[in-house]
Amino acid sequence: QDKAAVYRTESSLAEGAAEIDEVVKKIDDVKVTDRSLVWNTDLVETLELRNLLPSAATTMHSADRRKESRGAHAHENYPDRDDDNWMKHTLAYYDEDTKKTSVAYRPIHYYTLDEEECAIVPPVARVY
């Protein structure tokens, strides 16, 4: 939350990406010490961490690479939308073996399946 809050800066996102990488490196050090089969919060919290940490890493790295503001991603260094460069889908991958996050992109499909039934809705900037 501290490095990727609603209002973000280039430096806070870069720091956040570096910090999450350091945390990810330590995930194999996490062990479950409680061996009970009933109400094992140690096990539940470990499973939640193993599930959420890759999600946090992909979110942090994706946000760090995006050089615009769009939707809930309000980047203070880039206050405007940049449809020319950022009208694309972000694909983030977490490799469990290497503990590395990679980010790729693919173009959007700017059409509907049946344009007679459902016309294309052009993108517009959010105004508050």
Side-chain angles (χ1 to χ4, degrees):
Q1 282 290 2
D2 183 43
K3 303 298 180 186
V6 174
Y7 297 100
R8 306 145 182 218
T9 64
E10 198 160 10
S11 62
S12 72
L13 290 170
E15 289 171 17
E19 287 179 19
I20 198 80
D21 286 343
E22 291 303 312
V23 173
V24 165
K25 290 177 187 176
K26 299 174 185 177
I27 189 65
D28 289 334
D29 296 337
V30 175
K31 306 291 183 217
V32 177
T33 56
D34 183 353
R35 300 291 179 190
S36 68
L37 298 176
V38 179
W39 204 259
N40 189 335
T41 57
D42 191 20
L43 174 61
V44 170
E45 290 172 359
T46 302
L47 291 172
E48 287 176 349
L49 177 64
R50 288 193 177 274
N51 177 50
L52 293 172
L53 192 55
S55 179
T58 56
T59 300
M60 188 75 243
H61 281 279
S62 297
D64 181 39
R65 284 170 177 74
R66 187 169 284 274
K67 306 302 182 196
E68 68 155 1
S69 290
R70 181 176 299 267
H73 177 81
H75 201 305
E76 292 188 358
N77 300 97
Y78 306 94
D80 300 318
R81 280 173 58 133
D82 181 1
D83 288 346
D84 293 335
N85 295 307
W86 288 101
M87 186 66 80
K88 55 188 169 185
H89 293 290
T90 303
L91 307 172
Y93 303 93
Y94 176 79
D95 187 314
E96 186 72 34
D97 297 326
T98 64
K99 308 290 187 266
K100 299 285 183 191
T101 300
S102 59
V103 179
Y105 304 95
R106 77 165 179 81
I108 64 165
H109 299 297
Y110 200 63
Y111 56 85
T112 62
L113 294 176
D114 183 353
E115 292 191 23
E116 289 181 20
E117 181 181 330
C118 181
I120 295 171
V121 177
V124 296
R126 289 187 184 184
V127 179
Y128 299 101

